[in-house]
C-alpha cells in the first residue's frame, strides 16, 4: 500500500485528491490546521471512525508556517508521495496580506522540500503551481510561456515553482509542478467568482437574495472541473521522470459568460441582479488566461471531461440543492 501526504486536504482540491487516492488504495495522511470553527466539511464524508484501528485517512495537525511540524510529520510518516496543495490561495486577499501570502504560499513549499531533503527520503513531491503566474503574458499560455506575475499570490507561486525546479535539478528529487488553470466544483470556496455567482443564482432563484456585488466582469479565465484536474496531478506523479505540466481546458470565458450561463440555467436575467462594487477590483488584474495542455495530453494521456456549461450547471444545481436543504 502506498502512503501519501496531502497538504491543504481541507480545501477544494485536497478533498478530491484524498477521494482519488483512497479509491486507489493509498494510505492517506492529511495536514489540517487548528481552527475555531469546523474546517473539515469537505472531507467529513470520507473521514472514517477515529476509533477504527487502521483508518486509511488520517489527519494530523501542522502548518505550512511551522517547519518543525512539517519536519516531524514527514519524518514520522515517510510518505511515498506528497501532494502539496496547501496555500493562501485567494488572489484578491493576497494584496491585503502580501507578507503572509509569501510565507505560506512561497516559503511553505521550501519548508516541505527541505524536510524531504534533510530526512534523506525518496519521496515524490507535487507542487501546486498556478496559471496566475502567467499574469500579463497573452494567451494561449503553455509550459514555455514566461511568467509575468501580477499579484503577491502569483509572485509567491513563481518562487514556489522555481524552488521546486531547483530541488529537482540540484538534489535529484522527484518533484513536479502542475501549472493548473482555474478549476471549480460544488466544493469551490464561496469567495471565488464561480461559486459566488452560482450560489447567488441559486439564492436569487429561491427568493433569498436579490443582488450580488462583483468586480471586473471582463476578465477571462479557462475554467475546468477540479475532479478532472486531480486525475492529471496523480498521473504526473506516476511518470518515470518528474516534469512540469500545464493543465487546462483550452477554452476561455469571461465573467459575463459565467453570469449568462449560471443565471440562464435558472431562467434569470443577471443584469437585474448584479451590481459592481469597486472593492472587488484588484490593483493589478490578470485579463485573460487560456491554457494549452497539449503536453499533458501527449505525455499523460490526460484530457478534461467536463466542459464549461456542464461545470456551471453542476455548480448551480448543487447550490440549489444545498439552499433548499437549509429550509427543509
Ligand atoms: P483552497 O480551497 O483555498 O484550499 C487551500 C488549503 O490550504 C486549505 O486546506 C487550507 O486550510 C490550506 N492552508 C492554508 N493556509 C495554510 C497553512 N498556513 N498551513 C497549512 N495549510 C494551509 O485551494 P484549492 O482551490 O483547493 O487549491 C489547491 C492549491 O492549488 C492551492 O495551492 C492553490 O493556490 C492552487 N491552485 C488552485 C487553482 C484553482 O483554480 N483552484 C488553480 C491553480 C492553482 P484551511 O481549510 O484550514 O483554510
Ligand atoms: O475566482 P477568482 O478569485 O480566481 P483567480 O483570481 O483567477 O484565482 C484562482 O485561480 C488561480 C489560477 O489562475 C489560482 F491560482 C488561485 O488560487 C485561485 O484559485 O477571480 C477570477 C476573476 C478575476 O479576474 C476577478 O477580478 O474574476 C474576477 N472577479 C470579478 N468579480 C471576481 C469578482 N473575483 C472574485 N473572487 N470575486 C468577485 O466578486
Amino acid at each position: 500500500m502506498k502512503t501519501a501526504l496531502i497538504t491543504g486536504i481541507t480545501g477544494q482540491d485536497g478533498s478530491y485528491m484524498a477521494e482519488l487516492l483512497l479509491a486507489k488504495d493509498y494510505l492517506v495522511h492529511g495536514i489540517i490546521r487548528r481552527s475555531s470553527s469546523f474546517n473539515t466539511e469537505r472531507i467529513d464524508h470520507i473521514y472514517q471512525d477515529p476509533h477504527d484501528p487502521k483508518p486509511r485517512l488520517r489527519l494530523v495537525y501542522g502548518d505550512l508556517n511551522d517547519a518543525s511540524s512539517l519536519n516531524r510529520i514527514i519524518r514520522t510518516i515517510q510518505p511515498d508521495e506528497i501532494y502539496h496543495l496547501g496555500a493562501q490561495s485567494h488572489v484578491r486577499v493576497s494584496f491585503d496580506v502580501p507578507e503572509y501570502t509569501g510565507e505560506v504560499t512561497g516559503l511553505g513549499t521550501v519548508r516541505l522540500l527541505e524536510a524531504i531533503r534533510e530526512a534523506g527520503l525518496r519521496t515524490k513531491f507535487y507542487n501546486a503551481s498556478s496559471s496566475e503566474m502567467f499574469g500579463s503574458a497573452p494567451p494561449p499560455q503553455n509550459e514555455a510561456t514566461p511568467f509575468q506575475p501580477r499579484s503577491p499570490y502569483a509572485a509567491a507561486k513563481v518562487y514556489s515553482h522555481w524552488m521546486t525546479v531547483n530541488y529537482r535539478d540540484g538534489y535529484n528529487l522527484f518533484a513536479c509542478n502542475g501549472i493548473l488553470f482555474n478549476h471549480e466544483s460544488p466544493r469551490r470556496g464561496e469567495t471565488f467568482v464561480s461559486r459566488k455567482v452560482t450560489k447567488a443564482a441559486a439564492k436569487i432563484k429561491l427568493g433569498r437574495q436579490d443582488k450580488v456585488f462583483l468586480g471586473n466582469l471582463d476578465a477571462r479565465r479557462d475554467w475546468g472541473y477540479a475532479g478532472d484536474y486531480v486525475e492529471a496531478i496523480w498521473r504526473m506523479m506516476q511518470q518515470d521522470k518528474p516534469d512540469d505540466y500545464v493543465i487546462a481546458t483550452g477554452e476561455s470565458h469571461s465573467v459575463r459568460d459565467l453570469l449568462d450561463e449560471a443565471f440562464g440555467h435558472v431562467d434569470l436575467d443577471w443584469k437585474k441582479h448584479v451590481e459592481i462594487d469597486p472593492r472587488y477590483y484588484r490593483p493589478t488584474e490578470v485579463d485573460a488566461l487560456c491554457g494549452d495542455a497539449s503536453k499533458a495530453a501527449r505525455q499523460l494521456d490526460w484530457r478534461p471531461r467536463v466542459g464549461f456549461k456542464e461545470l456551471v450547471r453542476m455548480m448551480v444545481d448543487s447550490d440549489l440543492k444545498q439552499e433548499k436543504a437549509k429550509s427543509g
Side-chain angles (χ1 to χ4, degrees), residues 7-14 31 33 39 42 62-65 84-89 100 104-105 128-131 153 157 180-184 188-189 192:
T7 73
I9 193 167
T10 54
Q12 172 188 256
D13 292 6
I31 297 182
R33 299 194 286 175
N39 64 353
R42 293 187 179 100
D63 198 297
L64 289 165
N65 277 345
H84 172 37
L85 309 175
Q88 191 302 93
S89 73
Y100 175 77
V104 179
T105 306
S129 275
S130 167
S131 55
Y153 167 81
K157 282 287 181 190
L180 272 51
F181 281 63
N182 298 53
H183 46 281
E184 322 292 315
R188 184 56 144 153
F192 295 97

Side-chain angles (χ1 to χ4, degrees), residues 1 6 13 30 35 38 41 78 85 101 112 122 132 142 145 166 172 182 221 244 281 307 315 317 326:
M1 186 190 279
I6 302 178
D13 292 6
S35 162
F38 292 115
E41 192 186 341
Q78 305 206 348
L85 309 175
T101 302
L112 289 166
R122 297 306 304 156
E132 194 66 19
N142 66 18
T145 306
N166 273 268
N172 204 24
N182 298 53
R221 290 291 182 274
D244 306 326
Y281 289 147
M315 291 173 70
D317 289 342
K326 280 184 191 164

